[in-house]
Amino acid sequence: MRDLKTLGGIRFVTSVDVDGYTTNSNYNNRIGQAGEFVFHFTGPLSFSNASDKITFDVIVDKDSSFQGLSLPLHPGKTTPVTVDRTTVDTVLGAAANGVISDYTQYAAVLDHAVKQAGTGATVKTYRHPYEPYAPIINQIGFMTQQNSALDGSYVEVANLVVNTSSGGGAGLVENSDFGERGSEITLTFEQFEVYKDVVVSFNFSVNGEAPSTHSFDRNQVNALLGKDTGKIETVDEMVTVLQSLINRPNTIIQNNGSGGILIKSDPAFDRKSGAGTGIGFTNIEVNIEPIARRNFLDVDIAANPQSIDSYLQYIEIVMQRTIDGAAALGSLLSRIDMQSSFAQTLIATIDKGVGRLVDADMNETSTRLKALQSQEQLGIQALQIANSDAQNILQLFR
């Protein structure tokens, strides 16, 4: 098994599917949420008299003191809002007689009032997040639209004053909520090994900016950590690897002290909060995946006749992988044969060349020897001539 699992927390392992493959998410990111709070409608609500009204202030997008921001903190934008008989008649029509009968009408009236005043907030109703997506009865929410040009994400109803014929605000109360800062994520570390020839790649992005692409392999891991195993075994080792890859300015990557890795944009430079913020990894890829995990001994057609198609598909995939592996080995064997033949030819050529060099040296030495021998013979002959007729030599000197 060459399974890299969660890649040290970068991704999630979701399941092992019917064909025996590990299903890994190809992303792991976090998106911020806008400031939002809910209340429950307790109407009906009546504005029978001309003097009936509800007044309150809406405060949006002030900075949070809990997000590590440097001082000063912005107090946000404050806008007064009034809901009266005119507001009700404008939204529901004069036939309503100033009466708000249900939560959908109340949400519509409040939403008109806060938007007409230019608060930067919105009022909405909710549905269940699963089919058939039925409405959540009597639930109404206030949420910042984050269009105030401020960095914060906050909504508050303050200074609420209720004066209605029905005697109450139909559930509306003073409340507030800060949005979440999405440019911060914590990875749950799990040790893993980067195997030979394995390449891991991913994209990283903050606050919707263009993602940067990164990759690493066994050699990089070993060089960074001073190892030869390719293993990333501790949080600090994973931090070292990520710090070497992600060089985005003002990005903090550190051990969170409790078995995780904290990655965030530095709040000293990035003061944004809410739905416009986010951080995380996308397009996570490992070049050896998907990995077959089914044991052949678990293939039991008699016990699982409904899985025959799945078994056949799995075996075909594994057989193809085996064929691909054999082809790769065959290619390597051919390359080895070629290298061996080349080496043998090279050795033979070198031997022949050395022989030629030796032959050349012997020829030169033999020629020089013959020349010396000829000189010796000439010298001896000259001496013989001189000894045989000394008078003739002396006559020459006279």
Side-chain angles (χ1 to χ4, degrees):
M1 300 292 186
R2 287 157 58 94
D3 192 348
L4 277 66
K5 301 178 181 177
T6 68
L7 293 173
I10 290 179
R11 67 181 180 184
F12 299 106
V13 176
T14 55
S15 65
V16 177
D17 66 20
V18 68
D19 295 319
Y21 293 118
T22 299
T23 302
N24 299 307
S25 62
N26 64 352
Y27 67 92
N28 183 6
N29 53 23
R30 181 170 184 262
I31 305 298
Q33 295 182 355
E36 178 178 357
F37 68 84
V38 301
F39 70 93
H40 291 85
F41 179 71
T42 58
L45 180 61
S46 176
F47 293 83
S48 300
N49 300 318
S51 60
D52 289 349
K53 62 181 178 179
I54 298 176
T55 62
F56 54 89
D57 291 335
V58 173
I59 305 170
V60 297
D61 302 342
K62 76 175 183 179
D63 289 334
S64 170
S65 60
F66 305 104
Q67 295 176 342
L69 304 177
S70 58
L71 298 177
L73 300 178
H74 198 285
K77 171 188 173 183
T78 300
T79 309
V81 178
T82 299
V83 179
D84 55 17
R85 175 67 181 264
T86 301
T87 309
V88 175
D89 289 346
T90 299
V91 176
L92 303 182
N97 293 320
V99 176
I100 300 174
S101 302
D102 61 34
Y103 76 104
T104 59
Q105 292 179 347
Y106 198 18
V109 169
L110 289 174
D111 187 57
H112 173 82
V114 299
K115 288 180 177 176
Q116 189 72 18
T119 63
T122 186
V123 180
K124 62 178 187 175
T125 58
Y126 297 86
R127 290 182 176 274
H128 292 283
Y130 48 82
E131 292 185 356
Y133 307 110
I136 302 177
I137 306 301
N138 292 333
Q139 184 167 298
I140 301 174
F142 270 77
M143 184 176 70
T144 175
Q145 293 182 298
Q146 292 190 221
N147 59 5
S148 63
L150 300 177
D151 292 328
S153 179
Y154 177 79
V155 64
E156 178 181 2
V157 170
N159 302 319
L160 175 64
V161 177
V162 177
N163 181 20
T164 63
S165 299
S166 52
L172 179 63
V173 295
E174 294 183 357
N175 203 346
S176 65
D177 182 64
F178 281 104
E180 294 182 359
R181 176 177 154 84
S183 50
E184 179 176 322
I185 190 172
T186 299
L187 309 181
T188 301
F189 176 74
E190 180 180 354
Q191 66 179 13
F192 67 105
E193 178 178 348
V194 182
Y195 299 93
K196 184 177 181 296
D197 298 327
V198 170
V199 178
V200 179
S201 62
F202 60 86
N203 290 345
F204 177 78
S205 179
V206 178
N207 292 346
E209 65 191 20
S212 56
T213 300
H214 310 276
S215 65
F216 62 92
D217 59 16
R218 184 184 183 93
N219 292 335
Q220 289 172 266
V221 170
N222 286 339
L224 282 170
L225 305 181
K227 296 184 173 185
D228 59 5
T229 62
K231 292 183 178 179
I232 302 176
E233 300 174 280
T234 67
V235 171
D236 289 333
E237 289 179 348
M238 189 66 188
V239 167
T240 298
V241 172
L242 290 175
Q243 287 176 339
S244 73
L245 297 171
I246 300 172
N247 53 12
R248 179 184 179 274
N250 307 318
T251 301
I252 297 171
I253 305 174
Q254 63 187 25
N255 187 331
N256 72 348
S258 58
I261 302 164
L262 177 64
I263 305 176
K264 66 178 181 179
S265 61
D266 190 342
F269 300 91
D270 175 15
R271 301 177 65 88
K272 293 183 180 299
S273 181
T277 63
I279 191 171
F281 303 88
T282 56
N283 295 335
I284 302 167
E285 295 184 359
V286 180
N287 63 334
I288 62 170
E289 294 176 346
I291 300 174
R293 298 177 59 90
R294 186 192 297 278
N295 190 326
F296 278 110
L297 297 179
D298 294 334
V299 175
D300 190 340
I301 296 175
N304 303 290
Q306 74 282 357
S307 299
I308 291 178
D309 291 340
S310 173
Y311 288 151
L312 289 174
Q313 182 183 8
Y314 172 71
I315 291 173
E316 287 176 358
I317 293 173
V318 174
M319 286 179 63
Q320 186 59 51
R321 283 174 175 256
T322 305
I323 292 171
D324 292 343
L329 289 175
S331 175
L332 288 173
L333 180 60
S334 297
R335 290 172 60 187
I336 291 172
D337 290 341
M338 291 173 61
Q339 300 262 356
S340 177
S341 176
F342 172 76
Q344 291 175 356
T345 302
L346 182 61
I347 291 171
T349 303
I350 291 173
D351 288 342
K352 185 176 180 180
V354 170
R356 287 179 177 177
L357 290 173
V358 171
D359 291 343
D361 290 342
M362 292 299 293
N363 290 335
E364 181 182 353
T365 302
S366 176
T367 302
R368 293 179 62 187
L369 178 60
K370 287 181 180 180
L372 290 173
Q373 288 175 342
S374 298
Q375 292 177 9
E376 181 183 12
Q377 290 176 359
L378 290 172
I380 292 172
Q381 289 177 0
L383 288 173
Q384 287 176 346
I385 293 171
N387 289 335
S388 65
D389 199 351
Q391 293 300 322
N392 292 334
I393 299 300
L394 290 174
Q395 187 65 35
L396 289 173
F397 285 106
R398 292 191 185 101

